[in-house]
Amino acid sequence: MKPAARRPLLLCALAAAAALSFLLVAPPPPLASLLLAFPASPYAGGPKLVFLLAGQSNMAGRGLAPSPLPPPFRPHPRVLRLAASRRWAVAAPPLHADIDTHKACGLGPAMPFAHRLLAGGAESSGLVLGLVPCAVGGTRIWMWAKGEPLYEAAVARARAALAAGGGTLGAVLWFQGESDTIELDDATAYGGRMERLVHDLRADLGIPDLLVIQVGLASGEGNYTDIVREAQKNIELPNVVLVDAMGLPLRDDQLHLSTEAQLRLGVESNDKYHHSLGIFYCRV
């Protein structure tokens, strides 16, 4: 695509990012339905092990929600989420309902991740988990660069999460890249942009060894998925680990992970977390 032809698309993407990031930065007006969906928690004021959820639609969740919900997706009193209003509430899917507002959100990997962590002994220790949704569907990695609205909003929400009761940022769960498979220059630049993103997050959050668990793409919107996947697998930074989604079942659109896939991804991400940085338990 010629630069002139791409300009309207880039302007639209920038406008969308700015509008969506406003929801992340500024507390929205009260929404009765969301307050009912995300009730307050008695653990809101205490320390938490916090996880930043960032990326695009497969992190926000597009998995269909069956009724009743499978146990790994159900609310738990010790699993909280930071709402768009920066208020801690009991986590219940869809976690990104007031964040990724331009699409109907469904089930993502974060709730199974949290349930797996509790089953591994965190519940008996009294640990409280804090999930911080920041993902926005359709975003490219350049839209998450330092100085861009989505990046600044994610950093602000991470800081707010730690300030509201204290605790430790355990990891960033990053699932993004499908939109970077459309154009060759985006795909070939992906690795460098991802490494820059990790450097900037660690510097701005003051955590030099911050764990980043990135998901290897299972699908893409364009023809360059393999290039992005290779870039993901070749990130040469410490404490950046890969959970590969390739082979997990997709929905009929062949882009978004199914509910079963999101459950398996959450479990595998937690196993990777335990293997990589279980030391965070003693840092809360």
Side-chain angles (χ1 to χ4, degrees), residues 7 23 37 59 96-97 109 116 118 132 136 177 198 225 229 257 259:
R7 191 171 297 113
L23 296 173
M59 176 56 75
H96 283 76
R116 180 78 165 187
L118 291 175
V132 182
V136 176
V198 173
T225 303
R229 279 181 50 81
L257 297 187
T259 298

Side-chain angles (χ1 to χ4, degrees):
M1 184 181 296
K2 296 181 179 179
R6 291 178 56 189
R7 191 171 297 113
L9 295 176
L10 292 175
L11 290 175
C12 290
L14 282 169
L20 292 167
S21 64
F22 175 79
L23 296 173
L24 294 171
V25 177
L31 297 174
S33 59
L34 290 177
L35 292 179
L36 290 174
F38 305 121
S41 166
Y43 301 107
K48 306 163 194 71
L49 182 59
V50 174
F51 294 92
L52 189 68
L53 316 177
Q56 57 181 112
S57 56
N58 270 316
M59 176 56 75
R62 298 294 188 262
L64 296 176
S67 181
L69 280 174
F73 291 101
R74 294 176 189 170
H76 188 286
R78 290 188 179 275
V79 181
L80 311 184
R81 73 181 288 278
L82 193 72
S85 63
R86 300 188 185 178
R87 165 184 170 270
W88 283 114
V90 175
L95 297 180
H96 283 76
D98 56 348
I99 299 294
D100 188 15
T101 58
H102 67 308
K103 291 284 187 177
C105 294
L107 302 181
M111 287 300 289
F113 176 90
H115 274 274
R116 180 78 165 187
L117 188 54
L118 291 175
E123 183 172 14
S124 61
S125 71
L127 189 65
V128 177
L129 307 179
L131 306 177
V132 182
C134 295
V136 176
T139 53
R140 302 187 186 190
I141 196 169
W142 65 263
M143 300 168 73
W144 290 90
K146 182 179 175 67
E148 295 292 338
L150 292 177
Y151 174 89
E152 300 301 330
V155 169
R157 282 177 56 75
R159 290 172 175 164
L162 297 175
T168 297
L169 183 58
V172 176
L173 306 186
W174 175 260
F175 193 165
Q176 189 277 335
E178 294 92 342
S179 293
D180 290 278
T181 68
I182 299 172
E183 297 177 20
L184 181 59
D185 55 349
D186 285 334
T188 55
Y190 192 91
R193 288 171 174 169
M194 184 65 194
E195 291 189 358
R196 183 73 262 163
L197 173 62
V198 173
H199 281 300
D200 289 337
L201 283 173
R202 288 172 171 173
D204 286 342
L205 295 174
I207 309 174
D209 60 348
L210 176 62
L211 176 64
V212 177
I213 303 174
Q214 61 166 343
V215 178
L217 296 186
S219 60
E221 296 183 65
N223 297 322
Y224 303 111
T225 303
D226 289 343
I227 294 177
V228 175
R229 279 181 50 81
E230 283 302 307
Q232 292 176 318
K233 290 188 287 187
N234 288 287
I235 299 296
E236 296 184 357
L237 293 175
N239 287 346
V240 177
V241 299
L242 181 77
V243 178
D244 200 343
M246 183 60 75
L248 294 181
L250 300 173
R251 292 187 57 184
D252 290 344
D253 61 9
Q254 296 302 302
L255 179 64
H256 296 109
L257 297 187
S258 68
T259 298
E260 175 192 353
Q262 292 285 20
L263 194 160
R264 289 167 57 185
L265 181 62
V267 169
E268 291 175 14
S269 297
N270 179 262
D271 292 346
K272 186 72 72 170
Y273 170 77
H274 273 295
H275 179 74
S276 300
L277 216 59
I279 190 174
F280 270 127
Y281 277 124
C282 64
R283 291 174 54 180
V284 175

